[in-house]
Amino acid sequence: MKLADLSSLMARREDGGLSFDRFRVDPVLALLQWPDDVLEQFLFDHGDNGAFVRDYGGIDLRKITWRLETIPVADFNEMPTGESDAGCIEGFAEDPVHWVEIRPPEVGRHWEEHGTWMRPPILIDRRLLVVSDSGLQVLEGRTRVGVLRGRLRDGLHVATRHRAWVGHAHTASMRPAAE
């Protein structure tokens, strides 16, 4: 199953006839057994976004296993996003204060108190895109990762580790999720 296979589901969502609660229980999506947070941020919010379809349309969605992991801050320094959105993380990093200030006040408080985002972004193992590649890529949460980079550069409070949903290829020897 690929993003293009979900076009009729996306059309119903776009028409306003499909809330997330109804979207998530669609039999096709239920087969994926993905966490609701990933379903919402990736497929519900962006499953028909042209840039996402170009960058991630070739992935067999059934072959992804999602785990909530804790990632060291240094890993986010050079983490790319999809080719269609190249440079956008750096753009958000240019003014991290602005991108936090335009969010609800609790987002800013959370950054100040915890040095991280409230909602884990979605990352993907680059081997799902190119088998010979390595490392992680930001699939959704480009603004959050940009804010993180900008805060780090500006000497603002940033935690040393950050929670993120990470999509890996199904394998028989999956390592346990980091705590």
Side-chain angles (χ1 to χ4, degrees), residues 24-25 32 36 52 58 70-71 89 94 101 108 111 119 164:
R24 68 190 258 304
V25 297
L32 293 175
D36 282 351
F52 272 62
T70 303
I71 311 291
I89 292 174
E94 289 176 13
E101 285 178 344
W111 274 106
R119 188 175 193 189

Side-chain angles (χ1 to χ4, degrees), residues 15 22 28 41 43 55 59 64 67 80 100 104 108 119 144 153 160 166 176:
D15 291 342
R22 290 184 52 218
V28 172
Q41 289 188 70
L43 297 182
D55 293 342
I59 299 173
I64 304 174
R67 295 190 315 249
V100 170
R119 188 175 193 189
R144 285 167 271 179
R153 180 203 62 229
T160 59
V166 181

Side-chain angles (χ1 to χ4, degrees), residues 157-168:
H157 176 52
V158 175
T160 59
R161 302 179 70 72
H162 304 269
R163 302 288 277 172
W165 286 105
V166 181
H168 297 278

Side-chain angles (χ1 to χ4, degrees), residues 18 20 26 42 87 99 121 132 160:
L18 199 57
F20 177 68
D26 184 278
F42 181 6
W99 293 105
S132 62
T160 59

